[in-house]
Amino acid sequence: MSAEAFSSGPLRDPLASWRRRSGVIRAMRWGLPVLMGALVLALAVYFVSSSLASARQKPRQSSTAIQLVGARFMGRMEDGRSFLIGAGQAMRSDTVMQEVILTDPILTLGAETGAPKRMNAKRGVYNEKTRILRLSGDVRIDNGSGQRVATNDALVDTRSGRITGNDGLVGDGPLGQMQAKSYDVDRDTGRVTLKGGVRARLEN
């Protein structure tokens, strides 16, 4: 075996290994920054989506926290008579903090007297600052003297005890049946005053 053949074999293998290592190093120099960039982008997308999801959930959590079951509001009118507002459910308004939204409200005016007025409806809104109660949806009024009124809207001032409405009504009482476009219930006598398009059927 010649000297040339002996020396050329061992030198070829280290050179090939060095080239392979160089290729791996070049691939890592390009691949690692790309991988790091992808990880940073994925983390950014995750945090943004999590923040948006939590922001959408916050209003629902705050609204459910202020619901009341079996709510009661009570006080005194200007003449000393009591008033009591009950409801199957109550919720604080999201827009006006003084307002409470009521479901199936029931109002009693002057429960300690011999002829208390009673009202009930499907919905109601009570303003604790003005003490005004607005009833809507199948409103029923009993003036305590046998006069019963059905309407879809009623505005009650719990300070004065005055009851008014502008959505029309039909009534039934000792004197007969009646209907009108608007009405006003006297706070002292409970007398119902009809206004606009009044029709009545009197009974003997």
Side-chain angles (χ1 to χ4, degrees):
M1 181 179 294
S2 64
E4 182 180 356
F6 176 80
S7 59
S8 60
L11 292 175
R12 194 175 292 120
D13 290 338
L15 182 60
S17 298
W18 178 81
R19 287 176 178 174
R20 285 195 299 269
R21 286 195 298 271
S22 298
V24 173
I25 292 172
R26 284 195 300 270
M28 292 178 65
R29 286 178 178 175
W30 285 98
L32 286 176
V34 173
L35 180 60
M36 292 297 295
L39 289 175
V40 171
L41 180 60
L43 288 173
V45 171
Y46 171 77
F47 284 120
V48 170
S49 61
S50 298
S51 299
L52 292 176
S54 61
R56 286 193 296 267
Q57 292 174 357
K58 285 181 179 179
R60 290 194 296 267
Q61 294 173 351
S62 61
S63 62
T64 56
I66 55 177
Q67 291 183 353
L68 299 173
V69 177
R72 294 289 184 272
F73 301 91
M74 61 185 66
R76 293 275 174 189
M77 294 182 285
E78 293 173 347
D79 60 3
R81 290 179 300 167
S82 66
F83 75 88
L84 173 64
I85 303 172
Q89 189 177 53
M91 179 185 299
R92 183 74 62 179
S93 172
D94 292 333
T95 56
V96 182
M97 289 303 298
Q98 294 86 0
E99 288 187 348
V100 182
I101 301 170
L102 307 173
T103 303
D104 298 326
I106 300 174
L107 169 65
T108 302
L109 299 174
E112 70 279 7
T113 66
K117 300 184 185 71
R118 292 186 173 89
M119 304 178 64
N120 63 278
K122 287 186 177 180
R123 297 173 298 276
V125 178
Y126 179 60
N127 190 303
E128 293 180 294
K129 183 177 181 180
T130 63
R131 291 174 55 182
I132 298 294
L133 172 65
R134 177 176 290 278
L135 300 174
S136 60
D138 292 335
V139 180
R140 298 292 184 266
I141 305 172
D142 186 337
N143 72 348
S145 301
Q147 189 70 48
R148 295 176 297 274
V149 173
T151 182
N152 281 318
D153 180 83
L155 192 67
V156 185
D157 188 340
T158 60
R159 294 171 301 184
S160 64
R162 185 183 180 189
I163 304 170
T164 57
N166 296 301
D167 199 20
L169 65 82
V170 292
D172 182 29
L175 297 179
Q177 299 175 346
M178 58 187 178
Q179 67 181 52
K181 292 182 179 179
S182 63
Y183 63 92
D184 189 332
V185 181
D186 186 86
R187 70 172 187 176
D188 296 320
T189 64
R191 181 179 301 168
V192 180
T193 302
L194 306 178
K195 304 175 184 178
V198 179
R199 295 182 180 179
R201 180 181 177 180
L202 302 179
E203 298 178 357
N204 295 328

